[in-house]
């Protein structure tokens, strides 16, 4: 097993200040990656990391672990140099202070702690392998006790406010210098799992286990907008620096890109096969990285290619439509066979081989449109003929056919429309036809069998499929049985001719 990647969930990611390195942590330690080449630069064994960050000019890394400790790693040395017993419960989030003097940590024990960077003594540093007798440590300077478990923390670029997301589904904002209470944000129905503050300090975004993304104003604490962001818990939210654009990730395995001013979803990015736990954005917004339960780290680069919101909305609607059809197909075929009149599964019976999808729905719509145009054209033709008879020899304007029929006879136009449907989708398209349209197609099949002898096989397939689908209604509908009798009389000799032709060709090949 020489793979460079993690063997378990990628729980947290961080990007260095110069955007050249990516830090990732998992259940058994951390890895440092080259952001450009994707090569693994360092692998360090450690505890179960839940959050991580670069500190002190990207020379060190701090990792918050599941057992409540903060582990300090020397990036150049490539090893763990110090472990600070910081909390009594899991450390859920770490944030460096804007002035670079220390960092913030929050935990399930309800404490928000401010740490200041310190250096170990020469002897202690040498004992843990520090370079030239120096090694980083952390000193706890201040603490803030919360009534609930603290799951996330954010601090604005000016270091004026800190925001914490709590287990009671609220977000509380405090002044960073005095730790006095400022605002309380209520609206989420389930615990707040992530939050972030925009670079200009005017907006706060929070994501929750209730699947919603909320945009708040930092001045009055008003909720600007609540958005249904993901189909499962929102696990991470990150603003793009110096903008009001933001990324969200969720347990549904999607990365989404939002405009927090217009409250619009701009892009929906798919790539992971499982839950996405974390995301990080480069300082210039050139790229974003995500870590997932599928053990992979993906980098998403910003390109110069333009995209259009309407097209993206159409793509999302098509995806939702296809997924709904897939669910319906799955539920419909769960029995593994057909059903009798009482709805009881008939074991071993066959069902439709195709599946309903957007192509088959579009094919059924085109067939219905063709039938409507053909019927309208036939009505116009009959009206013109009746008008010619009533004129009593007086000249009548010539009949002008519908240009949408492409110069074809109405019956031939419907036939060519059905022939354009892929053979694998014909059955599903016919299933979607209403009964009245199905009867119209059956009446047209009579003329097709007489005028298109070489296409008898296709016509017979259409007849048999429609009869099988609508058998119950056909039995109680007057006027259809005589039509089926005439079709039966035409189908047998037509198929006989095809059989004879195949036999002749087969004999010729053997000869």
């Amino acid at each position: 097993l020489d793979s460079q990647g993690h063997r378990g969930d990628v729980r947290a990611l961080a990007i260095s200040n110069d955007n050249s390195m990516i830090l990732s942590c998992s259940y058994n330690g951390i890895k440092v990656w080259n952001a450009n080449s994707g090569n693994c630069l360092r692998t360090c064994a450690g505890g179960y990391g839940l959050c991580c960050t670069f500190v002190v000019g990207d020379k060190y890394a701090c990792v918050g672990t599941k057992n409540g400790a903060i582990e300090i790693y020397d990036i150049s040395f490539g090893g763990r140099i110090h472990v600070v017993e910081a909390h009594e419960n899991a450390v859920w989030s770490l944030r460096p202070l804007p002035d670079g003097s220390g960092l913030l940590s929050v935990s399930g024990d309800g404490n928000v702690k401010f740490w200041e960077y310190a250096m170990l003594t020469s002897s202690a540093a040498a004992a843990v392998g520090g370079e030239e007798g120096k090694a980083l440590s952390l000193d706890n300077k201040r603490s803030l006790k919360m009534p609930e478990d603290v799951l996330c923390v954010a601090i604005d670029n000016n270091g004026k406010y800190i925001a914490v997301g709590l287990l009671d589904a609220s977000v509380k904002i405090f002044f960073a210098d005095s730790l006095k209470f400022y605002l309380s944000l209520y609206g989420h129905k389930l615990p707040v799992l992530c939050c972030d503050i925009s670079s200009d300090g005017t907006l706060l975004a929070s994501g929750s286990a209730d699947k919603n993304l909320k945009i708040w104003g930092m001045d009055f604490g008003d909720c600007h907008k609540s958005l249904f962001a993901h189909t499962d818990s929102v696990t991470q939210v990150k603003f793009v620096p110096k903008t009001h654009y933001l990324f969200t990730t969720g347990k549904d395995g999607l990365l989404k890109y939002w405009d927090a001013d217009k409250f619009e979803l701009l892009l929906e990015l798919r790539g992971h096969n499982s839950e996405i736990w974390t995301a990080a954005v480069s300082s210039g917004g050139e790229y974003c990285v995500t870590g997932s339960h599928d053990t992979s780290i993906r980098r998403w680069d910003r390109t110069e290619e333009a995209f259009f919101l309407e097209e993206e909305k159409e793509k999302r609607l098509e995806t939702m439509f296809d997924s709904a059809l897939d669910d319906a197909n799955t539920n419909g075929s769960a029995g593994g066979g057909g059903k009798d009149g009482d709805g009881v599964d008939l074991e071993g019976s066959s069902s439709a081989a195709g599946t309903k999808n957007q192509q088959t729905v579009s094919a059924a719509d085109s067939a219905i449109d063709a039938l409507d145009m053909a019927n309208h054209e036939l009505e116009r033709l009959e009206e013109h003929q009746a008008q010619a008879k009533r004129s009593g020899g007086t000249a009548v304007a010539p009949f002008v056919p519908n240009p949408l029929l492409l110069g074809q006879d109405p019956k031939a136009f419907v036939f060519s429309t059905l022939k354009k449907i892929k053979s694998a989708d014909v059955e599903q398209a016919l299933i979607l036809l209403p009964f009245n349209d199905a009867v119209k197609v059956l009446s047209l099949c009579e003329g097709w069998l007489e005028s298109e002898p070489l296409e008898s096989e296709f016509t017979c397939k259409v007849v048999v499929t429609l009869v099988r689908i609508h058998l119950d209604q056909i039995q109680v509908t007057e006027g259809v049985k005589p039509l089926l009798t005439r079709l039966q009389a035409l189908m047998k000799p037509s198929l006989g001719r095809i059989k004879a032709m195949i036999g002749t060709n087969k004999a010729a090949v053997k000869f």
Side-chain angles (χ1 to χ4, degrees):
L1 295 174
D2 297 328
S3 174
Q4 294 181 334
H6 290 283
R7 298 286 182 265
D9 297 22
V10 181
R11 293 306 303 259
L13 291 168
I15 299 175
S16 62
N17 293 325
D18 59 2
N19 301 325
S20 63
M21 294 185 294
I22 298 171
L23 173 67
S24 64
C25 65
S26 184
Y27 73 96
N28 60 352
I30 68 166
K31 289 180 181 288
V32 181
W33 308 83
N34 184 307
N36 296 320
S37 66
N39 293 329
C40 182
L41 305 178
R42 294 281 187 271
T43 299
C44 309
Y48 195 130
L50 298 176
C51 52
C52 61
T53 182
F54 283 100
V55 295
V56 191
D58 303 332
K59 295 179 181 179
Y60 298 91
C62 288
V63 177
T65 63
K66 196 172 184 179
N67 61 8
I70 298 178
E71 299 179 342
I72 303 173
Y73 295 83
D74 188 324
I75 299 300
S76 58
F77 166 65
R80 182 172 60 184
I81 59 174
H82 193 47
V83 178
V84 179
E85 298 298 332
H87 294 272
E88 297 175 358
N89 210 327
V91 180
W92 289 113
S93 183
L94 292 175
R95 287 293 179 104
L97 296 176
D99 59 6
S101 62
L103 54 83
L104 266 173
S105 67
V106 296
S107 167
D109 61 9
N111 285 315
V112 181
K113 293 190 176 183
F114 290 75
W115 302 88
E116 192 175 89
Y117 302 134
M119 301 305 293
L120 291 175
T121 60
S122 299
S123 58
V128 296
E131 182 182 357
E132 298 180 0
K134 295 181 180 180
L136 183 70
S137 181
L138 297 174
D139 289 338
N140 183 17
K141 293 301 181 181
R142 292 186 296 167
S143 295
L144 178 63
K145 179 65 178 177
M146 303 301 297
E148 295 282 345
D149 293 9
V150 186
L151 303 180
C152 59
V153 65
I155 185 167
D156 68 332
N157 281 353
N158 297 324
K160 185 177 181 181
Y161 303 111
I162 60 168
V164 291
L166 303 178
L167 191 65
D168 64 1
S170 68
V171 179
K172 295 188 183 300
I173 304 175
F174 298 86
F175 291 101
D177 52 0
S178 62
L179 298 184
K180 287 184 178 180
F181 175 77
Y182 174 51
L183 289 172
S184 201
L185 311 179
Y186 295 100
H188 286 293
K189 297 179 177 64
L190 290 173
V192 179
L193 303 179
C194 52
C195 63
D196 196 22
I197 300 175
S198 61
S199 297
D200 57 7
T202 59
L203 295 179
L204 182 144
S206 61
S208 167
D210 62 10
K211 310 172 188 177
N212 289 326
L213 166 70
K214 291 185 183 291
I215 311 295
W216 312 83
M218 286 289 290
D219 45 5
F220 301 109
D222 56 318
C223 182
H224 291 183
K225 192 72 173 178
S226 180
L227 302 165
F228 182 74
H230 293 267
T231 56
D232 209 331
S233 301
V234 182
T235 56
Q236 189 64 274
V237 55
K238 287 287 185 182
F239 275 100
V240 177
K242 300 179 182 178
T243 72
H244 283 177
Y245 297 112
L246 59 89
F247 288 97
T248 62
T249 62
K251 286 187 177 180
D252 56 3
L254 298 178
L255 172 67
K256 294 188 177 183
Y257 187 45
W258 304 82
D259 185 338
D261 289 328
K262 298 180 179 179
F263 316 118
E264 287 184 331
L265 174 60
L266 303 180
L267 287 173
E268 186 177 278
L269 304 171
R270 298 173 181 269
H272 287 287
N273 300 318
S274 191
E275 302 99 325
I276 301 179
W277 293 119
T278 182
V281 183
S282 63
S283 59
E286 296 88 0
Y287 66 88
C288 171
V289 288
T290 54
S292 169
H293 176 67
D294 62 13
T295 72
S296 68
I297 300 171
R298 291 184 179 271
R299 170 173 162 163
W300 311 83
D301 287 333
R302 183 177 62 192
T303 65
E304 298 298 328
E305 181 181 355
F307 67 90
F308 302 94
L309 290 181
E310 292 302 323
E311 290 184 4
E312 296 299 325
K313 288 179 182 178
E314 289 179 6
K315 290 178 183 177
R316 290 195 292 272
L317 289 174
E318 289 176 2
T319 303
M320 291 171 59
F321 183 72
D322 287 341
S323 63
L325 290 178
D326 290 341
D327 292 341
N329 291 329
T330 302
N331 295 333
S333 60
K339 295 180 181 290
D340 65 6
D342 299 325
V344 179
D345 287 338
L346 297 177
E347 198 151 335
S349 60
S350 62
S351 58
T355 58
K356 183 168 67 173
N357 52 39
Q358 190 177 4
Q359 285 73 27
T360 58
V361 174
S362 300
D365 289 340
S366 63
I368 293 173
D369 291 341
L371 282 170
D372 291 340
M373 282 193 291
N375 288 332
H376 180 66
E377 188 74 359
L378 290 173
E379 290 173 0
R380 288 181 60 236
L381 187 59
E382 289 177 2
E383 184 180 348
H384 182 269
Q385 292 173 350
Q387 185 179 359
K389 288 181 181 180
R390 290 194 302 267
S391 65
T394 308
V396 180
F399 180 76
V400 180
N402 188 345
L404 295 178
L405 298 181
L406 306 177
Q408 295 177 308
D409 177 76
K411 296 181 181 179
F413 176 71
V414 177
F415 182 81
S416 63
T417 301
L418 291 178
K419 281 291 290 181
K420 290 177 183 177
I421 302 174
K422 293 181 180 180
S423 58
D425 296 336
V426 169
E427 186 170 355
Q428 284 293 330
L430 293 176
I431 288 175
L432 296 175
L433 287 180
F435 177 68
N436 292 335
D437 289 330
V439 173
K440 294 176 184 177
V441 174
L442 287 174
S443 63
L444 293 176
C445 287
E446 188 176 1
W448 297 343
L449 287 171
E450 295 174 348
S451 61
E452 300 284 350
L454 295 180
E455 299 290 351
S456 299
E457 184 179 358
F458 176 77
T459 306
C460 292
K461 177 182 178 181
V462 172
V463 172
V464 172
T465 302
L466 290 175
V467 170
R468 178 167 56 82
I469 295 168
H470 301 287
L471 181 60
D472 293 339
Q473 287 179 281
I474 288 173
Q475 290 175 343
V476 296
T477 303
E478 295 183 3
V480 181
K481 290 182 181 178
L483 174 61
L484 294 180
T485 303
R486 296 195 300 271
L487 286 172
Q488 185 182 18
L490 290 170
M491 287 168 64
K492 192 169 183 179
S494 297
L495 293 176
R497 287 194 296 269
I498 294 178
K499 183 179 178 181
M501 182 177 63
I502 292 174
T504 302
N505 293 340
K506 184 178 179 181
V509 169
K510 287 184 177 180
F511 180 78

